[in-house]
Amino acid sequence: MKVLFSLLAVIVLILVAIMGAYTTSLHYTFGIIIPYLALTLFVGGFIYRVVKWGRSPVPFRIPTTIGQQKSLPWIKQNKIENPTSTLGVIVRMALEILFFRSLFRNTKTELSQGPKGPILAYGSAKWLWLGSLFFHWSFLIILIRHLRYFLDPIPFSIQILESIDGILQIGLPAVYLTDAFFLIAVTYLFLRRIFIPQLKYISLAADFFPLFLIMSIASTGVLMRYFYKVDLVAVKQLAIGLATFQPVLPSGIGAMFFVHIFLVSSLFAYFPLSKLMHMGGIFMSPTRNMISNNRMVRHINPWNQEVKYHTYEQYEDEYRDKMKKAGIPVEKE
Amino acid sequence: MYKGGKIIASLIIFVGLLTIPFFYNMGKVNAGPEINLDTPAILALAPADQQCVESPEVMKANHMQLLNQWREAAVRDGQSVYINSQGKSFEISLQNTCLNCHSTEAEKASVTGGMSNPAFGSTQFCASCHDYNAVQPLCYTCHIGSKEAAK
C-alpha cells in the first residue's frame, strides 16, 4: 500500500513532466520557472531546517563511543572513537560522513532453532553499508559531473572525473560506471525494504517516495544520454542561463530533458521536507560531533535556573537579636 | 542558537558551494560554441543541397550514434553506402564524408602533414562543440590524417 502510494505519486509526477515536455508553450515554465522555484524551496527550506535544529538546546554531552575513554596514563585511549580533542572529533566526523562509520558497525540479529532450543545469534551485516556507500558516492560523482553543463570553460578536474567514469569506453557515448553503480545500488536499497519483513513493516511512504523519485531521475538521465538524445549544446546554454540568472530557452532541446529536469526539481523542492535532510543533519548529530570529555570538564546545563541562596550568615544577621533573646548560640556576637 | 557561529558558517559554506556556477560564469557571455558551417566543401554545394547527412536536429543530438552505426556498418557488415531518411546516399567514411564537408582548406592541408586528425583537434567544427561540453572522442587516436595522406 505504502509502496503503491509512493509509486503512484512518482508516476503522476512523470506524467506531469511528460505533458510539460510535449507542450512547447510550457517549456519556459518547466525549463526555467519550476527549476528556480525548486531551488528557492531547497535553499530556503534547508537553511530553515538547519537553523531550527541549531536552536534546540544540547544540554549534555551525549556522545556514543566504541573506544577506550581517556583514563589512566597506562591505559591506551582510542583517540578517534572516543576523542578528547577537536582534531579527534573532526576525524570521527569525517569517517562518519565520508565512509559511514556507524553503518559499518551494523549488525544483524537472528533467532534460529538449534538442537538444544533456540539460538540467538548476532553477526555483522555489511551489505547495507556497501550499498549505501556505492549509492552516495555515485550520487556525488554524478552531481559533480553535471557541473560540465554549468561551467564554461570546463575545469580540467571535471574532465578527468568524466574520463575515469567512462573508462570502460563501451558504446557511444561511453557508459559511465557511476550510472550503473547508482542504478544497482538504488534498486538494492529499494528491494531490501520490500523483501526483509521487519524492514517492510517499518518502512513508510516517505521512505519509498524518495527512492522512486531518485530511480526515476536516474532512469530519465540514462535514457536521455543513451537513447532519447537531446541537444547538449542547447542544454548547456539553458543551464548557464539559469546559473547566471539570465535565463534563456534555446529551442529544440528534446523532450526527455524536460522530464528529467522536472523530476530533479521535484526532488529539490521535496528535499527539505523529507528524510533526505540527513544530508545536513549528519553534521549536527550530537552523538558524533561532541568531544567526549563528559568527566574531564564540568558541563552545566545552559538553561539551569538561577538558584537563590540564603546562607547561614545572612540568616544569623537577620535573626541575631531574636536568637540571642531565645538563648540560641550565635557565631558572631 | 547553540554553537550558532559554527552552524551559520557551515550554512554559508553550503550556499557558497551552490553559487559556484554563478560566480564562475559571471560576466561571461552565454553564447555557446561558434559553429562554423562555411567550409569550402559546403559552400561549393548548391544552396538546396547544403544539408547534412540527416536533419540538423537529428545531427546535433544523435551524430555520435550515427557514427557508431556507420562504424558497425563499415567494419562489421562491410557496407560502404548509407542511405539517409530522404533516400540520399552517402559514402560511409569519417574522413571522406563528414570531414570532407566539415573541415577547412587549412585543416585539409595539415592532414597531408601527417598530423593527427585536425578536425578533432582544431577549434573548428567538431572540436568547437566538443570543447564546450568537454567531450573527448577517442576516435582520433586511430583515425589520423596520415591515412588520408597515404591514399
Side-chain angles (χ1 to χ4, degrees):
Chain A
M1 201 44 233
K2 292 171 290 191
V3 187
L4 270 185
F5 175 76
S6 315
L7 187 62
L8 270 179
V10 173
I11 289 176
V12 168
L13 283 179
I14 294 175
L15 289 179
V16 171
I18 290 176
M19 183 203 68
Y22 283 101
T23 319
T24 317
S25 56
L26 286 178
H27 280 184
Y28 196 85
T29 313
F30 275 73
I32 290 168
I33 298 177
I34 292 180
Y36 271 140
L37 274 179
L39 191 73
T40 316
L41 283 175
F42 174 70
V43 176
F46 197 98
I47 293 177
Y48 172 78
R49 291 278 312 251
V50 169
V51 168
K52 199 171 159 207
W53 282 329
R55 293 165 78 97
S56 51
V58 183
F60 298 118
R61 301 270 136 170
I62 52 168
T64 51
T65 61
I66 49 164
Q68 173 60 48
Q69 176 180 221
K70 184 167 181 167
S71 166
L72 298 168
W74 42 271
I75 298 179
K76 196 160 167 277
Q77 179 202 358
N78 189 334
K79 291 212 170 74
I80 290 168
E81 303 297 359
N82 202 332
T84 45
S85 68
T86 310
L87 181 69
V89 171
I90 290 173
V91 174
R92 175 166 73 177
M93 286 298 284
L95 284 178
E96 186 67 35
I97 290 163
L98 300 176
F99 304 111
F100 310 163
R101 177 76 182 97
S102 298
L103 199 55
F104 189 70
R105 293 165 52 215
N106 184 29
T107 53
K108 62 165 183 279
T109 316
E110 263 172 16
L111 193 61
S112 58
Q113 211 59 44
K116 288 185 223 146
I119 302 175
L120 183 63
Y122 298 94
S124 91
K126 300 270 185 271
W127 284 109
L128 177 60
W129 172 78
L130 199 70
S132 299
L133 210 63
F134 268 95
F135 175 78
H136 285 87
W137 274 102
S138 302
F139 208 148
L140 180 68
I141 293 172
I142 290 173
L143 231 106
I144 295 176
R145 265 202 350 242
H146 274 74
L147 281 178
R148 83 171 158 132
Y149 304 118
F150 289 94
L151 306 181
D152 181 39
I154 299 164
F156 190 59
S157 46
I158 291 177
Q159 303 192 20
I160 289 283
L161 194 67
E162 214 180 298
S163 56
I164 294 175
D165 208 350
I167 199 158
L168 293 186
Q169 297 179 10
I170 300 173
L172 268 191
V175 168
Y176 283 136
L177 283 174
T178 47
D179 285 6
F181 291 152
F182 190 68
L183 282 175
I184 294 171
V186 76
T187 309
Y188 163 72
L189 292 178
F190 167 65
L191 290 182
R192 133 183 198 280
R193 283 194 186 274
I194 295 288
F195 284 116
I196 304 177
Q198 297 94 319
L199 209 68
K200 188 174 180 188
Y201 182 72
I202 60 165
S203 296
L204 304 172
D207 294 314
F208 290 113
F209 179 70
L211 278 175
F212 284 133
L213 192 57
I214 288 170
M215 261 185 220
S216 70
I217 290 174
S219 322
T220 49
V222 166
L223 284 178
M224 178 162 59
R225 181 169 163 83
Y226 304 104
F227 303 102
Y228 299 96
K229 310 272 317 163
V230 298
D231 179 0
L232 286 187
V233 172
V235 167
K236 182 159 181 177
Q237 269 173 323
L238 183 124
I240 290 186
L242 285 177
T244 50
F245 298 104
Q246 288 158 345
V248 281
L249 185 69
S251 59
I253 291 187
M256 207 43 154
F257 172 74
F258 290 98
V259 179
H260 188 64
I261 199 169
F262 180 73
L263 293 171
V264 172
S265 304
S266 311
L267 183 74
F268 269 57
Y270 172 68
F271 198 98
L273 309 171
S274 69
K275 66 177 209 165
L276 301 175
M277 270 306 291
H278 69 270
M279 172 181 166
I282 190 165
F283 290 90
M284 310 185 78
S285 34
T287 57
R288 308 273 90 201
N289 68 10
M290 294 178 129
I291 297 177
S292 313
N293 56 2
N294 308 29
R295 303 185 189 185
M296 291 161 62
V297 179
R298 181 165 180 225
H299 298 283
I300 295 172
N301 189 348
W303 71 82
N304 271 354
Q305 290 262 310
E306 192 82 47
V307 178
K308 292 208 188 68
Y309 298 104
H310 193 58
T311 59
Y312 178 71
E313 280 148 41
Q314 290 166 341
Y315 172 86
E316 206 182 87
D317 288 347
E318 206 176 328
Y319 295 108
R320 187 166 293 111
D321 296 342
K322 289 182 178 139
M323 286 167 82
K324 277 194 199 153
K325 264 187 218 155
I328 299 171
V330 289
E331 286 188 347
K332 255 198 310 197
E333 278 309 319
Chain B
M1 226 191 315
Y2 297 83
K3 299 248 172 112
K6 279 185 196 158
I7 292 175
I8 287 169
S10 314
L11 282 176
I12 290 173
I13 292 174
F14 173 67
V15 175
L17 284 177
L18 292 180
T19 54
I20 287 177
F22 174 72
F23 287 109
Y24 194 89
N25 297 310
M26 205 171 54
K28 292 180 199 159
V29 188
N30 181 12
E34 209 176 292
I35 296 165
N36 185 356
L37 289 166
D38 304 336
T39 61
I42 292 179
L43 290 178
L45 294 165
D49 286 341
Q50 291 188 358
Q51 279 165 0
C52 201
V53 178
E54 296 285 354
S55 72
E57 292 77 39
V58 173
M59 288 313 285
K60 275 183 201 171
N62 297 303
H63 61 274
M64 67 300 289
Q65 289 182 329
L66 179 72
L67 282 173
N68 209 16
Q69 202 184 322
W70 277 24
R71 175 166 63 175
E72 208 150 300
V75 180
R76 299 229 169 113
D77 306 336
Q79 294 172 13
S80 58
V81 180
Y82 172 79
I83 298 169
N84 78 358
S85 51
Q86 260 117 44
K88 233 169 119 181
S89 52
F90 289 86
E91 184 200 343
I92 292 188
S93 170
L94 193 56
Q95 296 286 341
N96 301 341
T97 310
C98 307
L99 299 182
N100 182 41
C101 278
H102 290 299
S103 60
T104 58
E105 282 307 319
E107 286 168 334
K108 278 184 189 150
S110 64
V111 166
T112 28
M115 283 167 56
S116 65
N117 192 326
F120 285 112
S122 79
T123 51
Q124 249 298 318
F125 189 72
C126 306
S128 64
C129 231
H130 291 164
D131 286 350
Y132 185 63
N133 275 310
V135 186
Q136 289 147 330
L138 297 149
C139 323
Y140 69 94
T141 49
C142 295
H143 287 268
I144 52 173
S146 47
K147 178 194 161 195
E148 276 311 274
K151 270 192 181 171

